[in-house]
């Protein structure tokens, strides 16, 4: 498989959220606005790329039996890096995303890519795979965030362009489930 | 009284699945039958309560005592993963009956973000150990409740005529949305 395909497979065809249905908790939890979705997506992308890089570097030194715990420790270290950096530089976004930043560590996409891809492939393709999956994840979160923000408050990235009251339920919890349900159905249609 | 408020808030008002979006994977994955979802609910109740006690003790007597707050994420996930493994080994030896009821769900639970989420929430809310136990067990009950209700709905959904593209997960998510709408009715009772 060439590297461009390797990068773009995560966008629609193997999109981690919309096609593989992984990482649904942060997808539903943080997408009250497009900006929050994008921030969460990029934070996860950083963890994905770094953990894929390190896992593919050390894959030959880790005994098979303890590989999952080792991967988890590697991932948790990078999540801690993200946590501290975000707390220091973008405290407002950090407060908005709250609990879901430390929870990147249990995001099945990250461990899934480490186990299914980075532990079997070269460093370069693992990094590209991580980047592609991360961007696909960011895309899914940004689209769902934008959908909920437009329908729920008539704004996009905080800029209000539809005046007046909107369908408030879309910024609340039920809107997340309903919006994601329709997005998954749409992705299935596109993948056919 | 404050315990009752914690219980009602954790089960209904801030339901972990429908209001806080934690533990969605098992919620969508194992909610096809009522019987499996009761098993899953039981396993989650057991693991969440146990892991909250252990992580609370570690936070208070190790991390806080040594000033290592930034290691919280790493410490908690390692503790929870090994705890789940240990519970599995001990249950297998001590109570084969319980193991056969909960066993298949245990490996799934270590990747359940609800467990880590509740452990961190308990620390963030600055609960005492007893409040933490009450909070975590009632959160797990809320998880079980949502799971069982959802499984009941999905059993009926299988018999319905659903448009082709919406079959399976999409319609399940839309259903969960309507269920979340129903749970929003509890807002404001505490």
């Amino acid at each position: 498989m060439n590297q461009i395909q390797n990068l773009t497979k995560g966008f629609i065809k193997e999109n981690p959220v919309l096609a593989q249905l992984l990482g649904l908790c942060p997808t539903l939890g943080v997408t009250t606005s497009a900006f929050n979705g994008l921030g969460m997506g990029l934070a996860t992308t950083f963890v994905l790329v770094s953990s894929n890089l390190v896992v593919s570097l050390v894959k030959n030194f880790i005994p098979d039996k303890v590989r999952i715990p080792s991967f988890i420790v590697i991932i948790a270290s990078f999540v801690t890096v993200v946590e501290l950096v975000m707390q220091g530089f973008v405290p407002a976004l950090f407060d908005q995303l709250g609990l879901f930043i430390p929870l990147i560590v249990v995001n099945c996409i990250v461990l899934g890519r480490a186990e299914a891809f980075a532990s079997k492939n070269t460093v370069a393709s693992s990094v590209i795979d991580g980047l592609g999956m991360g961007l696909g994840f960011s895309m899914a979160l940004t689209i769902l965030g934008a959908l909920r923000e437009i329908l729920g408050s008539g704004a996009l990235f905080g800029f209000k362009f539809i005046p007046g009251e909107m369908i408030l339920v879309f910024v609340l919890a039920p809107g997340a489930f309903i919006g994601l349900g329709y997005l998954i159905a749409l992705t299935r249609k596109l993948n056919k | 009284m404050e315990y009752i408020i914690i219980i009602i808030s954790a089960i209904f008002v801030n339901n972990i699945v429908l209001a806080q979006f934690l533990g969605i994977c098992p919620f969508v994955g194992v909610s096809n039958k009522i019987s499996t979802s009761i098993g899953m609910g039981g396993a989650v109740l057991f693991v969440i309560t146990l892991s909250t006690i252990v992580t609370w003790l570690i936070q208070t007597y190790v991390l806080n005592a040594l000033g290592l707050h930034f290691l919280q994420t790493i410490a908690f996930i390692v503790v929870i993963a090994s705890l789940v493994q240990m519970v599995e080994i001990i249950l297998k030896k001590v109570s084969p009956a319980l193991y056969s009821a909960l066993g298949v769900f245990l490996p799934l639970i270590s990747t359940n973000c609800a467990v880590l989420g509740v452990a961190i929430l308990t620390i963030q809310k600055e609960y005492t150990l007893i409040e933490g136990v009450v909070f975590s067990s009632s959160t797990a009950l809320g998880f079980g409740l949502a799971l069982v209700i959802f499984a009941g709905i999905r059993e009926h959904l299988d018999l319905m005529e659903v448009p082709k593209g919406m079959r399976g997960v999409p319609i399940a998510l839309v259903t969960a949305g309507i269920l979340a709408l129903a749970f929003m009715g509890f807002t404001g009772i505490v």
Side-chain angles (χ1 to χ4, degrees):
Chain A
M1 187 176 16
N2 69 39
Q3 296 294 23
I4 296 182
Q5 265 180 335
N6 189 10
L7 180 70
T8 54
K9 70 175 188 291
F11 292 177
I12 292 182
K13 208 164 143 265
E14 290 180 32
N15 189 296
V17 178
L18 301 173
Q20 301 186 56
L21 310 177
L22 298 174
L24 296 183
C25 304
T27 306
L28 295 165
V30 304
T31 51
T32 45
S33 73
F35 184 72
N36 286 356
L38 186 62
M40 182 68 193
L42 294 181
T44 311
T45 306
F46 170 77
V47 176
L48 256 168
V49 172
S50 337
S51 66
N52 263 11
L53 171 73
V54 174
V55 167
S56 64
L57 280 173
V58 299
K59 60 175 183 282
N60 296 327
F61 306 106
I62 295 178
D64 211 39
K65 274 190 178 161
V66 294
R67 69 177 193 289
I68 300 282
S70 326
F71 294 167
I72 291 180
V73 174
I74 293 171
I75 295 166
S77 318
F78 284 112
V79 171
T80 309
V81 171
V82 169
E83 239 184 303
L84 295 175
V85 169
M86 287 185 79
Q87 204 168 7
F89 292 98
V90 277
L93 182 64
F94 181 80
D95 287 343
Q96 285 271 313
L97 301 180
L99 188 59
F100 286 98
I101 295 288
L103 287 184
I104 297 176
V105 73
V106 277
N107 190 324
C108 3
I109 302 167
V110 185
L111 187 61
R113 291 331 284 178
E115 163 74 3
F117 198 93
S119 64
K120 298 187 186 85
N121 287 285
T122 60
V123 177
S125 30
S126 303
V127 169
I128 292 173
D129 173 79
L131 187 65
M133 286 295 159
L135 291 178
F137 182 68
S138 311
M139 254 165 50
L141 261 69
T142 314
I143 293 172
L144 183 60
L147 181 80
R148 288 178 66 191
E149 204 182 347
I150 294 171
L151 290 175
S153 52
L156 187 60
F157 286 102
F159 176 73
K160 190 161 171 64
F161 61 95
I162 305 173
E165 293 274 312
M166 293 293 289
I167 316 158
L168 183 65
V169 77
F170 272 94
V171 251
L172 301 173
F177 287 106
I178 296 170
L180 183 63
Y182 280 101
L183 274 185
I184 290 172
L186 185 70
T187 315
R188 284 188 179 174
K189 182 90 184 158
L190 288 176
N191 274 339
K192 228 183 248 166
Chain B
M1 188 60 205
E2 58 193 299
Y3 292 130
I4 297 173
I5 292 177
I6 293 179
I7 293 172
I8 292 178
S9 150
I11 298 182
F12 298 109
V13 183
N14 294 314
N15 185 286
I16 188 152
V17 182
L18 299 168
Q20 305 202 56
F21 308 110
L22 297 176
I24 303 285
C25 296
F27 182 67
V28 175
V30 292
S31 58
N32 291 323
K33 281 201 194 121
I34 292 186
S35 55
T36 41
S37 56
I38 290 175
M40 184 71 186
V44 166
L45 175 65
F46 189 60
V47 172
I48 282 192
T49 314
L50 198 61
S51 68
T52 305
I53 297 172
V54 175
T55 50
W56 191 91
L57 292 173
I58 286 184
Q59 176 77 27
T60 314
Y61 294 108
V62 181
L63 299 182
N64 283 359
L66 300 175
L68 294 172
H69 303 97
F70 63 93
L71 283 181
Q72 193 192 49
T73 311
I74 302 181
F76 279 20
I77 189 67
V78 171
V79 167
I80 290 172
S82 29
L83 190 75
V84 173
Q85 201 83 46
M86 252 170 55
V87 167
E88 203 181 337
I89 296 171
I90 294 173
L91 268 190
K92 209 173 187 173
K93 192 85 186 164
V94 177
S95 165
L98 195 60
Y99 177 78
S100 63
L102 304 182
V104 284
F105 302 108
L106 285 172
L108 290 172
I109 288 176
S110 48
T111 54
N112 183 342
C113 50
V115 182
L116 182 61
V118 171
I120 296 176
L121 274 177
T122 308
I123 305 297
Q124 274 181 2
K125 290 176 187 258
E126 295 178 351
Y127 282 145
T128 61
L129 185 56
I130 297 173
E131 282 170 342
V133 170
V134 173
F135 171 70
S136 56
S137 50
S138 37
T139 303
L141 282 179
F143 176 81
L145 178 73
L147 201 65
V148 171
I149 295 177
F150 193 52
I153 298 176
R154 279 186 89 175
E155 278 184 0
H156 287 275
L157 213 56
D158 285 344
L159 307 170
M160 298 290 154
E161 191 80 19
V162 177
K164 214 170 152 210
M166 293 296 285
R167 269 176 215 165
V169 175
I171 192 71
L173 283 169
V174 174
T175 314
I178 296 168
L179 196 57
L181 205 57
F183 267 71
M184 275 177 65
F186 292 113
T187 314
I189 59 170
V190 286

